[in-house]
Amino acid sequence: MGIKVLVVSLMLTSILFSFLHLIPTRLTTPTQPIINLTKSNMSITNPYPVTFSYLISASKGDSVKLKRMLYALYHPGNYYLIHMDYEATEAEHRDIAEFVGGNPVFGQVGNVWIVGKPNLVTYRGPTMLATTIHALALLLRTCSRWDWFINLSASDYPLITQDDLIHAFSDLPRDLNFIQHTSHLGWKLNKRGKPITIDPALYSLNKSELWWVIKQRTLPTAFKLYTGSAWTMLSRSFAEYCVVGWDNLPRTLLLYYTNFVSSPEGYFQTLICNSEDYKNTTINHDLHYISWDTPPKQHPRSLGLRDFRRMVQSNRPFARKFKENTPVLKKIDQQLLKRRRGQFAYGGWCSGKEKTQSLCSGLQSENYGVLRPGPGSRRLKSLLTKLISTRNHQKQQCR
């Protein structure tokens, strides 16, 4: 039994490295991003102080939430990779491709892509991790410059504008990694560390639950296990390390986490905390507002209007999870993002005169590179200042 499980594990893990395909939509996917702002082609140099690359994951029934999220999250200085998983219907895949390809701003800037060969993703399975590493590889290859990678789902939503986010992060060291982590696994030692699972989505076109192997394994001694939130902000340097793995630790841990329950909640935490080069770059925070029931259930509570004040007071840039078209999203749009239906969140790149500040429907080339941060930037800066203070930063290192 042990030999068979090892062979299957090695075969399945090799599949994790095979998802490297980009989309054929109406958008071009150049090896180096080209930003054509006017017919005279102003400059391909990104003038913004920091740049973020996003992976936005979605599944069956998420197309409406995904479109709304992209409007709220979009900025011409960032990069966006959409993964609509294999379970979504053909009509949903076509709908998102037409939405991205038909938007004049996306086409003009050329910084939104869709994964053309989507993965079948199993909740709590390593296919979620495979999708994230796939995205890192694509964004590193396609985009010549970005500073941080952020993974979100269609059930997330921003609480600040991208101008706020860019401005708040402009003075931070670029090697910081926002990864919530702990080595105190508690009940997870027996429920996550010892069981062996197989994710059928690694080799099957039909979705099914994880398979559980009867025999369990002992806890590792070659490295220390960590766990935490699946939502992270990774530096470009650490992202390269995850993909290239020059000291082999990323590959070793990928083999291990192929058969691990909820591997996205442990892989990046265990990797960075066992790396001598990166273990002191962690900020123990996932930058999300998430509300759990008491006692906590398997999924966080869906957020509503009663949570709005606490979300704002948390000073966090993102929150989850939200149901489709829940009223609190309209309140976030109106009061925090200055966004109207079918338009982008407020930003210097698309803003007109003062009395039309809330109108953000298209790129104004003369404003490319302009930032107009607001209260959201001040709130986030307050959180970041607290997190990276010498006293707090040392407490948040891997232990």
Side-chain angles (χ1 to χ4, degrees):
M1 172 66 75
I3 295 176
K4 290 182 179 179
V5 171
L6 177 60
V7 171
V8 171
S9 175
L10 290 171
M11 292 175 62
L12 297 183
T13 304
S14 67
I15 301 175
L16 289 172
F17 294 99
S18 65
F19 301 121
L20 292 172
H21 184 76
L22 212 57
I23 47 169
T25 70
R26 280 183 283 174
L27 290 179
T28 59
T29 54
T31 302
Q32 301 296 329
I34 300 174
I35 300 176
N36 294 312
L37 298 178
T38 66
K39 291 183 179 180
S40 60
N41 191 18
M42 294 170 60
S43 174
I44 63 172
T45 302
N46 192 332
Y48 294 99
V50 294
T51 299
F52 299 93
S53 64
Y54 285 93
L55 165 65
I56 307 175
S57 300
S59 189
K60 184 178 180 180
D62 284 341
S63 58
V64 173
K65 290 194 292 185
L66 180 58
K67 292 177 186 177
R68 183 172 193 159
M69 154 82 93
L70 200 52
Y71 272 127
L73 200 66
Y74 182 77
H75 193 281
N78 296 333
Y79 303 102
Y80 301 86
L81 181 63
I82 299 169
H83 180 265
M84 175 74 77
D85 77 23
Y86 190 80
E87 189 182 23
T89 65
E90 183 178 344
E92 288 175 313
H93 282 281
R94 184 168 54 251
D95 181 35
I96 294 301
E98 290 175 353
F99 170 72
V100 173
N103 187 286
V105 176
F106 300 161
Q108 187 177 5
V109 181
N111 62 340
V112 181
W113 297 275
I114 303 171
V115 176
K117 187 178 180 182
N119 308 325
L120 187 63
V121 176
T122 303
Y123 174 68
R124 299 197 301 166
T127 39
M128 294 180 68
L129 177 59
T131 298
T132 304
I133 296 177
H134 178 201
L136 287 173
L138 290 175
L139 289 165
L140 286 168
R141 179 181 180 183
T142 306
C143 311
S144 60
R145 179 198 171 224
W146 50 263
D147 300 291
W148 280 285
F149 166 85
I150 303 173
N151 65 321
L152 299 174
S153 79
S155 296
D156 291 67
Y157 210 68
L159 300 177
I160 62 175
T161 69
Q162 290 301 288
D163 274 12
D164 291 334
L165 187 71
I166 293 171
H167 185 258
F169 272 83
S170 60
D171 295 328
L172 263 60
R174 304 298 189 264
D175 63 342
L176 294 180
N177 292 277
F178 292 80
I179 301 178
Q180 186 189 66
H181 60 79
T182 180
S183 60
H184 302 293
L185 272 64
W187 62 268
K188 292 184 180 181
L189 280 174
N190 291 323
K191 297 296 184 180
R192 301 275 177 87
K194 293 183 179 180
I196 302 173
T197 62
I198 297 174
D199 186 351
L202 286 169
Y203 59 85
S204 175
L205 292 178
N206 300 314
K207 191 167 185 176
S208 61
E209 295 298 321
L210 294 176
W211 292 0
W212 296 74
V213 178
I214 296 176
K215 184 176 178 61
Q216 294 193 338
R217 56 186 170 186
T218 59
L219 296 175
T221 57
F223 47 85
K224 187 176 182 179
L225 289 179
Y226 289 79
T227 188
S229 172
W231 313 106
T232 62
M233 180 184 288
L234 309 180
S235 68
R236 185 181 180 103
S237 175
F238 182 63
E240 290 174 341
Y241 175 65
C242 294
V243 173
V244 178
W246 47 82
D247 69 355
N248 207 40
L249 180 61
R251 281 178 289 274
T252 299
L253 293 182
L254 191 58
L255 285 164
Y256 178 78
Y257 276 97
T258 300
N259 305 114
F260 196 94
V261 184
S262 297
S263 55
E265 296 177 2
Y267 175 77
F268 292 112
Q269 289 82 357
T270 301
L271 177 57
I272 199 165
C273 286
N274 283 274
S275 168
E276 291 298 322
D277 293 329
Y278 291 99
K279 67 181 182 180
N280 293 326
T281 67
T282 57
I283 301 295
N284 198 352
H285 204 284
D286 66 0
L287 301 178
H288 271 68
Y289 178 86
I290 303 175
S291 178
W292 297 89
D293 290 304
T294 305
K297 298 180 180 179
Q298 189 171 23
H299 298 283
R301 188 172 59 82
S302 294
L303 300 173
L305 287 170
R306 62 177 178 170
D307 301 290
F308 179 80
R309 187 173 175 215
R310 287 189 293 270
M311 282 189 281
V312 175
Q313 291 177 338
S314 74
N315 296 333
R316 303 180 185 195
F318 306 103
R320 77 180 318 271
K321 62 180 187 171
F322 296 95
K323 293 181 179 179
E324 182 179 312
N325 291 329
T326 182
V328 70
L329 290 178
K330 184 177 181 179
K331 190 169 184 177
I332 292 172
D333 283 341
Q334 291 176 342
Q335 297 193 21
L336 303 182
L337 304 181
K338 299 181 184 178
R339 192 187 83 84
R340 295 184 182 180
R341 185 175 181 179
Q343 296 180 354
F344 299 104
Y346 173 73
W349 63 275
C350 61
S351 302
K353 298 178 181 178
E354 288 296 318
K355 54 182 165 183
T356 60
Q357 279 187 352
S358 60
L359 298 177
C360 187
S361 57
L363 176 68
Q364 297 187 11
S365 57
E366 67 275 13
N367 286 350
Y368 184 69
V370 175
L371 286 177
R372 290 183 181 167
S377 176
R378 292 191 291 272
R379 293 196 304 270
L380 179 55
K381 275 195 170 185
S382 175
L383 173 64
L384 295 175
T385 300
K386 179 180 177 180
L387 291 175
I388 66 175
S389 66
T390 302
R391 188 170 116 189
N392 287 330
H393 185 49
Q394 289 176 348
K395 290 181 179 179
Q396 295 179 81
Q397 298 308 301
C398 303
R399 299 184 187 280

